[in-house]
């Protein structure tokens, strides 16, 4: 019943369907359990309110499931980390109702070069112009905070979805009826009961560790220098994407 998917991996602790049985779209009421802490029921509980968690919550809620999403941070991280979307991801964003908001903020990429410090091309990726099979440009650069704000705005429109920020999960208790997730919040401890918990909480995923899900290390370890800058004149940007490899 616990799944990990926030760090590019999907793992299952138990066999069986990921989705639960269809439930009413009416959101369960908040109540006190016997331990005196707040307890809120839901069909699916997502830990991690980044782009993976928010998008998953939207897609589940659009199908009539009750969804609660929690994130340890109060605010969206203000700097871009992921920067690229392909046409298949744009199609998923379209299904979630945010593609038309994001598309004007993206920049299609037709050429991607890995070059030396002196400008010699080591490796080149060329992308055909026009729509890819998914109906969107094949390769798109984007600004992650803008995407996250759009996803959270869409999530707020869905009556059977809720987002709690500043909620840090510190325990998962699996039982025959589902999972109790315990959270440390600004207002004390909260207990959430759900039939399924989906871990979208990143590479250091608490859900993955608590569920005993392994982590596969592919052995890629290279130093990178990333500089974030505000550009006042986009026309001065290169007409291609560059990775400068030195040495």
């Amino acid at each position: 019943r616990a799944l990990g998917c926030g760090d590019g991996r999907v793992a299952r602790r138990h066999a069986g369907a990921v989705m639960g049985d269809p439930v009413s779209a009416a959101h369960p009421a908040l109540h006190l359990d016997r331990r005196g802490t707040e307890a809120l029921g839901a069909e699916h509980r997502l830990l991690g309110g980044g782009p993976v968690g928010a998008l998953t919550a939207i897609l589940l809620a659009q199908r009539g499931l009750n969804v609660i999403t929690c994130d340890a941070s109060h605010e969206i991280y203000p700097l871009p980390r992921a920067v690229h979307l392909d046409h298949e991801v744009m199609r998923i964003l379209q299904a979630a109702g945010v593609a038309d908001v994001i598309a004007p903020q993206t920049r299609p990429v037709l050429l991607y070069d890995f070059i030396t410090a002196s400008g010699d091309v080591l490796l080149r990726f060329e992308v055909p112009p026009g729509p890819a099979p998914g109906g969107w440009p094949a390769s798109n650069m984007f600004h992650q905070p803008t995407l996250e704000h759009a996803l959270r705005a869409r999530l707020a429109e869905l009556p059977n979805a809720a987002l709690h920020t500043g909620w840090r999960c510190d325990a998962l208790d699996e039982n025959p009826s589902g999972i109790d997730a315990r959270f440390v919040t600004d207002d004390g401890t909260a207990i959430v009961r759900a039939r399924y918990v989906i871990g979208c909480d990143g590479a250091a995923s608490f859900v993955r560790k608590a569920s005993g899900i392994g982590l596969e290390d592919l052995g890629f370890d290279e130093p990178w220098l990333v500089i974030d800058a505000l550009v006042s004149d986009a026309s001065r940007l290169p007409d291609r994407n560059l990775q400068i490899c030195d040495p």
Side-chain angles (χ1 to χ4, degrees):
R1 296 179 187 274
L3 311 177
C5 63
D7 53 353
R9 303 165 184 84
V10 178
R12 230 184 248 196
R13 185 175 177 188
H14 295 288
V18 175
M19 301 293 184
D21 298 330
V23 295
S24 168
H27 205 281
L30 189 68
H31 62 277
L32 294 177
D33 69 2
R34 286 179 293 179
R35 287 160 288 190
T37 55
E38 287 186 330
L40 184 62
E43 185 73 7
H44 289 73
R45 160 65 96 181
L46 292 98
L47 306 186
V52 174
L55 180 56
T56 304
I58 291 168
L59 296 176
L60 289 172
Q62 287 181 163
R63 286 156 177 79
L65 297 172
N66 296 324
V67 181
I68 302 174
T69 304
C70 296
D71 196 89
S73 300
H74 284 286
E75 304 293 338
I76 290 171
Y77 189 72
L79 298 177
R81 289 173 285 185
V83 296
H84 179 268
L85 300 170
D86 66 16
H87 64 105
E88 293 176 322
V89 175
M90 288 298 297
R91 188 63 175 254
I92 297 171
L93 294 175
Q94 179 181 354
V98 298
D100 289 339
V101 177
I102 296 303
Q105 309 296 326
T106 65
R107 183 181 182 189
V109 177
L110 300 180
L111 195 62
Y112 204 135
D113 283 348
F114 289 70
I115 64 174
T116 66
S118 59
D120 297 325
V121 176
L122 297 171
L123 182 66
R124 168 167 289 177
F125 294 100
E126 294 185 72
V127 180
W136 297 89
S139 181
N140 307 274
M141 306 305 293
F142 78 106
H143 182 246
Q144 182 174 338
T146 300
L147 171 62
E148 292 198 47
H149 281 289
L151 289 170
R152 289 197 178 184
R154 172 60 182 147
L155 190 62
E157 295 174 350
L158 300 170
N160 53 321
L163 171 66
H164 297 291
T165 59
W167 282 36
R168 178 179 59 84
C169 185
D170 68 351
L172 294 174
D173 179 22
E174 187 171 11
N175 53 69
S177 60
I179 299 178
D180 285 355
R182 187 179 70 191
F183 293 86
V184 177
T185 79
D186 293 342
D187 300 319
T189 301
I191 304 293
V192 176
R193 300 188 184 99
R195 185 171 298 173
Y196 295 96
V197 168
I198 304 176
C200 303
D201 45 346
S205 171
F206 171 79
V207 175
R208 175 176 56 79
K209 295 174 183 176
S211 303
I213 300 172
L215 181 65
E216 181 181 4
D217 186 352
L218 299 180
F220 182 80
D221 186 13
E222 295 290 342
W224 288 60
L225 174 63
V226 178
I227 300 174
D228 296 307
L230 296 175
V231 178
S232 58
D233 182 5
S235 66
R236 298 178 59 190
L237 292 173
D239 59 357
R240 55 181 171 158
N241 275 16
L242 298 173
Q243 292 274 0
I244 301 172
C245 307
D246 183 17

